[in-house]
Amino acid sequence: MFDHLPKSALATLPTPLEAAAAMPGSAARLWVKRDDLTGLGGGGNKARKLDFLCGDALARGAKALVTVGAAQSNHCRMTAAAGARLGLEVHLVVSGDAPSGDDPLTGNQLLSRLFGAQIHYTGAHHSHWGELEIAREALTASLVELGLAPYSIPIGGSTPVGALGYAAAFVELSLQCEAARCAPRAVVVTSSSGGTHAGLLAGRAAMIAAGHLDAASAPDIVAVGVAKGVVLDVVDVADLANRTLAHWGVGGAVAAADVEIDGRWMGDDYAVPTDAGDEAIRWGAIHNGLLTDRTYSGKGLSGLLGHAAAGRWGDGDDVVFVHTGGWPALFAADGAPDVTRPT
């Protein structure tokens, strides 16, 4: 279904679909789609997006990749790894200030530098995405003047090209569920820039339009929003999903009513830890051996556990959590919850 589109084969696919431990307060069955195991640069959901983004970059003759994110951005770390694999120069525009000479790099920044990326610090707050995007555009323009032929990627790789990665992931997941005799009532995913969510919606819409999936039994796509912008942008997610379908060249449509974003688990702001998120991180680790982080996947898992405890899914229902990765952030300053508390 995707052979007509340029890809760079960066991700290790398919990722496993695993049965997980019983959820507290719920008789529903939890499955975990292990997209933390996509291989590239420590794994995570961005590898699927970068498969298509870097395929497009190479097709356009790019000599460098430019992208942007928060100081501990998983997307930046994996873009750095993609550049290392493909022999492309990588420039990362990030929030915050450069560490002083005595402060070691940690977490995703350490790995990004290890992969050879050049990190450009903006001094911007990690939730000021508009300011960060302006800095990305300015850097891209300067690299064009230097003749580097940069391929510039917005925050999270959330473009129609990038979202194709999760349209393909939905198809992959559907085949795995059929083989495992799992009929998910819902697929739950963490969302910040909206591209992973939009891709899943596009994949579901395409399979319904092609007759491979019955609309009445298709799973809900539930996004746990961890950034204020995506929580407010239901229409934008639907628009991105439809532009992804158009770029893909298949039938199907996504309406605003198809978009479910639950922002109750974000807490005070993006990248600000929550008690529920920390509890979910500990639960996932102790009961399933999963590594989730305080900004993304831990908050997403807390939302899923919250819905389950509230009775959204009943005895015998299957629910899939798309584990988007993020473990390197556990090793950044204040990146891990208190491990002395029981779970």
Side-chain angles (χ1 to χ4, degrees), residues 4 18 46 53 71 91 118 144 148 178 211 216 229 253 291 305 317 324 333:
H4 62 292
E18 298 177 348
K46 306 304 182 183
L53 288 164
H91 293 262
Q118 298 183 45
V144 168
L148 278 177
E178 183 177 353
L291 295 176
L305 294 175
D317 286 342
T324 50

Side-chain angles (χ1 to χ4, degrees), residues 68 124-137 155:
V68 58
H125 189 270
H126 55 239
S127 66
H128 292 177
W129 288 10
E131 185 177 349
L132 290 168
E133 288 286 19
I134 290 170
R136 173 184 64 85
E137 292 169 358
I155 283 178

Side-chain angles (χ1 to χ4, degrees), residues 9 27 56 59 77 82-83 91 100 128 132 157 171 184 209 264 270 324 328 334:
D56 190 45
R77 178 247 308 171
H91 293 262
S100 67
H128 292 177
L132 290 168
V171 176
R264 296 175 297 161
Y270 172 82
T324 50
D334 299 318

Side-chain angles (χ1 to χ4, degrees), residues 324-338:
T324 50
W327 66 266
L330 289 167
F331 299 95
D334 299 318
D338 181 1

Side-chain angles (χ1 to χ4, degrees), residues 39-335:
L40 178 70
N45 64 318
K46 306 304 182 183
R48 290 187 186 270
K49 295 182 178 182
L50 288 163
D51 261 353
F52 288 94
L53 288 164
C54 290
D56 190 45
L58 294 173
R60 294 171 181 268
K63 296 183 174 65
L65 302 174
V66 181
T67 198
V68 58
Q72 285 295 330
S73 167
N74 295 307
H75 170 64
C76 285
R77 178 247 308 171
M78 298 190 72
T79 302
R85 281 271 296 272
L86 299 172
L88 298 173
E89 190 172 299
V90 176
H91 293 262
L92 307 176
V93 176
V94 302
S95 64
D97 299 318
S100 67
D102 296 332
D103 294 330
L105 292 174
T106 61
N108 282 310
Q109 283 196 24
L110 170 64
L111 295 178
S112 293
R113 285 288 293 273
L114 187 61
F115 294 136
Q118 298 183 45
I119 303 177
H120 304 261
Y121 296 91
T122 62
H125 189 270
H126 55 239
S127 66
H128 292 177
W129 288 10
E131 185 177 349
L132 290 168
E133 288 286 19
I134 290 170
R136 173 184 64 85
E137 292 169 358
L139 177 62
T140 301
S142 67
L143 294 176
V144 168
E145 291 179 0
L146 293 174
L148 278 177
Y151 185 86
S152 195
I153 304 170
I155 283 178
S158 294
T159 69
V161 174
L164 284 168
Y166 271 86
F170 186 88
V171 176
E172 178 183 299
L173 174 61
S174 296
L175 295 172
Q176 289 177 312
C177 285
E178 183 177 353
R181 302 197 175 189
C182 161
R185 288 281 308 279
V187 175
V188 181
V189 66
T190 316
S191 183
S192 57
S193 58
T196 299
H197 185 195
L200 291 170
L201 288 167
R204 185 182 67 174
M207 290 196 71
I208 291 172
H212 300 309
L213 184 65
D214 180 50
S217 59
D220 298 332
I221 309 294
V222 181
V224 178
V226 298
K228 290 180 179 178
V230 75
V231 170
L232 300 172
D233 285 344
V234 168
V235 174
D236 287 354
V237 171
D239 177 66
L240 177 55
N242 285 315
R243 287 188 290 127
T244 302
L245 287 164
H247 186 79
W248 187 2
V250 298
V254 174
D258 298 325
V259 180
E260 180 179 353
I261 304 172
D262 185 351
R264 296 175 297 161
W265 310 94
M266 178 174 62
D268 291 338
D269 203 351
Y270 172 82
V272 177
T274 64
D275 290 342
D278 285 355
E279 188 69 17
I281 291 170
R282 288 189 289 265
W283 181 84
I286 290 170
H287 296 282
N288 297 281
L290 299 174
L291 295 176
T292 55
D293 70 291
R294 299 179 99 184
T295 297
Y296 294 102
S297 50
K299 287 185 178 181
L301 183 58
S302 75
L304 184 150
L305 294 175
H307 277 278
R312 175 166 181 169
W313 307 295
D315 187 5
D317 286 342
D318 293 308
V319 182
V320 175
F321 178 61
V322 180
H323 185 350
T324 50
W327 66 266
L330 289 167
F331 299 95
D334 299 318

